């Protein structure tokens, strides 16, 4: 008997906390609805116990009127017990509370919506990080990919110590490699010279033009991304179109996001020159 009492106290305490939490977290639940649900749940396990008590009173009573009245009470308890039992069995406790905005139905529904809100918030934060990264990237010199004739430009290939690698098969006597998106955005290659494309020819005029072009070439990379960030950026994005500085200093870049299959335009702040 003591065990049953302990279990019943635990049952009541559990649903009391359920009412408090459910009332606090529910969307449309009211205090009356939560109180009604709590009372039903407290009475539910007591119905068989009340029925047994009344049955013992009937057996001990000698008055027929009292016995008949007690029989009606027993019938009421048994009918109420079976009604609640089959109702819960048919619809489920969760459905009962959820459909009437009671305690745990509303609580679980609110938890699900909180999870959805957190998921959306995480998505918004990730999008904000992406846009901030693209905004920073829009300040890099994407016009150094190619020259005015659309021919790709090169940079010197460096060894592990940052020195140029000698190779007489190249026109300048050092190894060269084509400029990539990773080179442009990476801090590792910042301030590295972007070479002009040399004109072909052995005459003195061609040599003079090449020397003049190299002498007045001040094109250098200005990337600021770390090594890992630069690699990830180059894998994810592709530069579709870049508008270099106009006469008013306006510049913009159209990026293709290969991960999310979308296009993003990055505008750089206008640079005014007086």
């Amino acid at each position: 008997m003591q065990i049953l009492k302990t279990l019943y106290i635990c049952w009541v305490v559990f649903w009391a906390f359920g009412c408090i939490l459910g009332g606090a977290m529910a969307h449309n639940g009211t205090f009356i609805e939560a109180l009604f649900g709590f009372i039903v749940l407290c009475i539910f396990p007591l119905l068989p116990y009340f029925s047994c008590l009344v049955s013992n009173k009937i057996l001990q009573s000698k008055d027929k009127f009292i016995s008949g009245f007690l029989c009606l009470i027993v019938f009421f308890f048994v009918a109420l017990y079976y009604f609640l039992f089959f109702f819960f069995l048919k619809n489920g406790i969760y459905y009962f509370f959820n459909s009437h905005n009671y305690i745990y139905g509303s609580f679980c529904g609110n938890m699900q919506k909180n999870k959805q809100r957190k998921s959306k918030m995480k998505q918004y934060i990730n999008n904000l990080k992406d846009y901030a990264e693209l905004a920073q990237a829009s300040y890099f010199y994407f016009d150094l990919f190619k020259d005015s004739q659309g021919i790709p430009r090169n940079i010197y290939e460096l060894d592990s110590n940052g020195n140029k690698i000698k190779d007489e098969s190249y026109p300048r006597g050092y190894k060269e490699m084509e400029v990539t998106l990773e080179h442009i955005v990476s801090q590792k290659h910042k301030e590295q010279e972007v070479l002009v494309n040399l004109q072909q020819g052995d005459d003195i005029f061609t040599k003079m033009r090449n020397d003049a072009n190299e002498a007045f070439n001040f094109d250098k990379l200005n990337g600021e991304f770390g090594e890992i960030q630069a690699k990830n950026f180059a894998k994810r994005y592709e530069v579709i179109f870049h508008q270099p500085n106009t006469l008013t200093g306006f510049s913009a870049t159209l990026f293709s996001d290969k991960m999310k299959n979308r296009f993003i335009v990055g505008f750089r702040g206008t640079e005014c020159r007086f």
Side-chain angles (χ1 to χ4, degrees):
M1 193 66 179
Q2 186 65 32
I3 295 176
L4 292 176
K5 286 182 179 179
T6 304
L7 289 174
Y8 180 70
I9 291 172
C10 292
W11 172 270
V12 173
V13 171
F14 174 79
W15 286 109
F17 277 107
C19 286
I20 295 171
L21 292 175
M25 302 296 291
H27 294 292
N28 299 317
T30 64
F31 174 77
I32 300 299
E33 291 171 340
L35 181 63
F36 175 76
F38 175 68
I39 293 173
V40 169
L41 287 166
C42 289
I43 293 176
F44 185 75
L46 293 178
L47 293 178
Y49 177 70
F50 287 154
S51 300
C52 291
L53 287 179
V54 175
S55 298
N56 290 333
K57 290 290 182 180
I58 292 174
L59 294 176
Q60 295 174 5
S61 176
K62 297 180 181 180
D63 192 328
K64 294 182 179 181
F65 177 77
I66 295 177
S67 298
F69 178 73
L70 293 176
C71 285
L72 289 175
I73 294 176
V74 171
F75 177 77
F76 171 76
F77 281 141
V78 171
L80 181 61
Y81 180 81
Y82 277 104
F83 169 76
L84 294 176
F85 178 78
F86 284 112
F87 184 85
F88 289 156
L89 187 65
K90 179 179 178 182
N91 299 300
I93 295 178
Y94 175 80
Y95 172 78
F96 174 74
F97 288 130
N98 191 48
S99 61
H100 293 84
N101 294 313
Y102 290 120
I103 311 172
Y104 281 109
S106 297
F107 177 74
C108 293
N110 192 66
M111 290 294 289
Q112 184 66 25
K113 290 196 173 184
N114 283 341
K115 187 180 291 185
Q116 292 175 357
R117 280 197 291 268
K118 286 182 180 179
S119 178
K120 286 184 178 180
M121 183 61 66
K122 186 178 180 181
Q123 184 178 353
Y124 292 149
I125 292 174
N126 288 334
N127 287 336
L128 186 61
K129 287 167 61 179
D130 292 342
Y131 297 148
E133 184 178 54
L134 289 168
Q136 183 182 6
S138 65
Y139 283 84
F140 302 150
Y141 297 150
F142 296 107
D143 53 309
L144 300 182
F145 268 124
K146 301 177 181 179
D147 60 17
S148 58
Q149 297 177 349
I151 302 174
R153 297 179 67 177
N154 294 343
I155 57 174
Y156 287 120
E157 187 174 342
L158 306 178
D159 59 19
S160 58
N161 296 322
N163 299 319
K164 294 184 287 188
I165 303 171
K166 286 188 176 183
D167 192 332
E168 296 301 329
S169 62
Y170 289 86
R172 295 179 177 88
Y174 294 96
K175 259 190 174 182
E176 301 176 10
M177 57 183 175
E178 188 175 319
V179 177
T180 65
L181 180 58
E182 184 179 341
H183 296 148
I184 289 180
V185 301
S186 176
Q187 190 176 27
K188 179 181 178 181
H189 300 278
K190 188 175 182 179
E191 298 298 327
Q192 190 168 346
E193 180 186 3
V194 181
L195 305 173
V196 295
N197 292 321
L198 299 177
Q199 297 181 14
Q200 301 299 319
D202 296 328
D203 59 280
I204 189 171
F205 296 106
T206 303
K207 186 177 183 305
M208 289 176 62
R209 281 194 296 269
N210 287 336
D211 291 341
N213 289 335
E214 290 204 300
F216 291 99
N217 176 38
F218 302 103
D219 293 338
K220 293 183 179 181
L221 299 176
N222 69 332
E224 296 179 350
F225 289 168
E227 189 173 351
I228 296 177
Q229 185 182 6
K231 287 182 179 179
N232 292 335
F233 186 89
K235 287 180 181 178
R236 178 173 178 179
Y237 297 102
E238 179 183 355
V239 176
I240 303 300
F241 177 79
H242 175 70
Q243 172 60 56
N245 275 7
T246 62
L247 294 176
T248 60
F250 171 78
S251 177
T253 308
L254 176 63
F255 297 95
S256 172
D257 186 348
K258 292 180 283 188
M259 181 185 294
K260 297 185 178 180
N261 193 25
R262 60 180 180 175
F263 295 98
I264 302 174
V265 179
F267 297 97
R268 191 172 70 192
T270 303
E271 298 175 352
C272 298
R273 295 181 181 179
F274 299 97

